[in-house]
């Protein structure tokens, strides 16, 4: 298998899980905060804090995938340039 | 989803004492059936391993070889060690998915408990592999780029790792459940005119894709646990 095919398969699988992972991270944060509040009786602080943490976690996932895409396209460009210089 | 005609449930219902179990947990019965199927196929192929493979051995060798090459491509040489896990996940999920298309059978993966169990195995394996390869340093990987940010990063990392489990679970469950439901509804609406046939063709494709994506994500997560923390 070529390197570019392998990278694009990896990227495809990550991208297919990206949307749902973002939503689920937010929901997980909210749920964790809600039940912590119920347990500790500190309404509404834990809910708010964990909701924000969940949203940040969701966006962190997006950011990691974005970094990978950026790196991949940069590598592709340098490969193309090398080919041009060779030819 | 309660299915009108599940032959295992009907047969085992006759045995006294089992009635409650088979009606409450058909997915467990059918996942056992998938396991029995895979074990029997593996036994038949492995019974007489020869240098010049027979029919059964030939087919299985092609499948296993393809999966092994793919694992090594994706995870690297470390991945060969965990190849049994990935191959098991792929073959088991694929068999379970396809079983929903046979009348009288039921996809075990169309129930959220089965998919959650597979996702939890993946999750535990990921962190086991991480700790095995990096020792206690693996925890550092959760702390983010610098130490002062650690109290903020640890909950974020934990949430995003748990979200992975949930997304693996829900993707497989949703796809297979939806596929079975569509086939069932079309069967009831216009079964006489073979209306579910094109949908079943599509369902074979989605079964493969879902099994493939599940095992691929397991590979990526475990590969990430091996490589990432430095």
């Amino acid at each position: 298998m070529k390197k570019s095919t392998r990278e694009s398969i990896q990227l495809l699988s990550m991208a297919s899980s990206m949307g749902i992972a973002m939503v689920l991270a937010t929901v997980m944060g909210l749920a964790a905060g809600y039940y912590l509040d119920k347990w500790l009786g500190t309404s509404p602080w834990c809910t708010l804090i964990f909701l924000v943490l969940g949203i940040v976690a969701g966006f962190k996932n997006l950011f990691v995938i974005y970094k990978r895409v950026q790196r991949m396209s940069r590598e592709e460009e340098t490969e193309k340039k090398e080919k041009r210089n060779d030819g | 989803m309660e299915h009108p005609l599940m032959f295992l449930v009907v047969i085992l219902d006759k045995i006294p004492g089992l009635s409650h179990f088979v009606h409450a947990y058909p997915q467990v019965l059918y996942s056992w059936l998938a396991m029995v199927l895979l074990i029997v196929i593996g036994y038949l192929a492995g019974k007489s391993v020869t240098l010049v493979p027979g029919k059964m051995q030939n087919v299985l060798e092609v499948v296993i070889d393809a999966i092994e090459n793919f694992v090594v491509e994706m995870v690297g040489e470390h991945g060969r060690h965990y190849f049994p896990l990935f191959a098991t996940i792929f073959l088991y999920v694929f068999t379970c998915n396809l079983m929903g298309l046979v009348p009288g059978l039921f996809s075990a993966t169309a129930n959220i408990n089965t998919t959650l169990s597979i996702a939890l195995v993946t999750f535990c394996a990921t962190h086991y592999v991480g700790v095995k390869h990096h020792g206690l340093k693996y925890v550092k990987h959760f702390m983010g780029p610098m130490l002062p940010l650690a109290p903020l990063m640890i909950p974020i990392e934990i949430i995003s790792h748990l979200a992975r489990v949930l997304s693996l679970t829900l993707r497989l469950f949703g796809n297979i459940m939806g596929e079975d439901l569509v086939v069932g509804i079309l069967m009831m609406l216009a079964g006489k005119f073979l209306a579910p046939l094109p949908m079943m063709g599509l369902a074979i494709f989605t079964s493969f894709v879902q099994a493939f994506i599940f095992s691929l994500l397991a590979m990526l997560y475990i590969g990430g646990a091996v490589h990432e923390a430095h």
Side-chain angles (χ1 to χ4, degrees), chain B residues 158-189:
Chain B
I158 289 175
I159 288 173
S160 69
H161 275 262
L162 289 179
R164 278 176 177 182
V165 178
L166 212 58
S167 81
L168 277 179
T169 310
L170 288 180
R171 185 186 313 105
L172 184 57
F173 160 70
N175 275 291
I176 304 307
M177 166 90 171
E179 169 200 305
D180 281 7
L181 214 56
V182 165
V183 171
I185 289 172
L186 283 178
M187 184 71 99
M188 274 184 262
L189 280 178

Side-chain angles (χ1 to χ4, degrees), chain A residues 1 11 24 27 32 40 42-43 48 50-52 56 75 79:
Chain A
M1 210 189 304
L11 207 66
L24 284 177
V27 173
L40 299 172
T42 50
S43 180
L48 289 176
F50 274 82
L51 178 60
V52 170
V56 172
E75 274 171 13
E79 261 173 34

